[in-house]
Amino acid sequence: MYRVCFVCTGNICRSPMAESVFRSHIADAGLDDLVEVDSAGTGGWHEGDGADPRTVAVLEAAGYEQDHRARQFRASWFDRVDLVIALDAGHLRDLRALAPTPEAAAKVRLLRSYDPAAPAARDGATDALDALDVPDPYYGSLDGFEECLELVEAASPGLLDAVRAAVKETTP
């Protein structure tokens, strides 16, 4: 089983949205028996909570299913996860710092790096990485959640291609 985990700050907005959208892409591609998708937060403030009601509303309006309980990403998870998808550059830095080995840190990628229309990150420059952020909609209006969904959907086909290739490499 190939495992993908999406990570944002509190695991109630961006990462559960990405999890739901990507799980739908995995199912549509017929890979749901080969790929497991979940999400977590860099912090544990919302552990056990459901997704933000605005996340739920935007997902439902777009036809995505979700059944979510927030949890915090742990360093020990690197052993069982194949790909960790950060929703912004801060999460990327936090997750790579949490990784127990360079190999584990190499599993962490930014979601928007899979969107061919997103700005390219050059040489790890902070401003270039920040340009790949999925902005945190938590303190804003419903429009921010809708923008979040658009950015997640734009990156999902590229991520699906990468996961499909990785699964093909690991499947006999």
Side-chain angles (χ1 to χ4, degrees):
M1 182 71 68
Y2 190 87
R3 291 173 177 84
V4 179
C5 184
F6 294 92
V7 180
C8 70
T9 305
N11 193 217
I12 60 169
C13 297
R14 293 173 283 179
S15 57
M17 187 177 291
E19 175 188 352
S20 293
V21 170
F22 196 63
R23 185 175 286 125
S24 175
H25 282 267
I26 290 296
D28 290 347
L31 297 173
D32 42 350
D33 288 341
L34 301 172
V35 179
E36 181 180 292
V37 181
D38 61 17
S39 65
T42 57
W45 309 279
H46 299 286
E47 277 191 298
D49 294 346
D52 185 289
R54 296 165 294 180
T55 297
V56 174
V58 167
L59 285 170
E60 287 179 352
Y64 294 105
E65 295 180 17
Q66 69 83 38
D67 179 23
H68 177 74
R69 288 288 164 235
R71 59 201 188 128
Q72 183 176 359
F73 191 90
R74 310 273 185 224
S76 62
W77 294 7
F78 279 106
D79 288 340
R80 63 182 170 103
V81 174
D82 298 289
L83 187 59
V84 181
I85 301 296
L87 276 290
D88 72 27
H91 306 133
L92 179 82
R93 286 186 292 276
D94 291 348
L95 289 161
R96 286 186 174 164
L98 182 66
T101 65
E103 295 79 17
K107 294 179 179 184
V108 184
R109 301 279 195 292
L110 278 168
L111 175 64
R112 292 198 61 221
S113 68
Y114 294 96
D115 179 355
R122 290 177 205 75
D123 302 322
T126 301
D127 58 340
L129 288 176
D130 290 342
L132 294 175
D133 286 356
V134 174
D136 187 352
Y138 185 74
Y139 293 105
S141 67
L142 192 61
D143 291 347
F145 288 82
E146 291 166 347
E147 177 191 11
C148 180
L149 179 61
E150 289 172 14
L151 295 172
V152 167
E153 287 179 329
S156 290
L159 177 57
L160 178 62
D161 289 344
V163 168
R164 183 183 283 125
V167 167
K168 190 174 185 177
E169 287 177 11
T170 61
T171 304

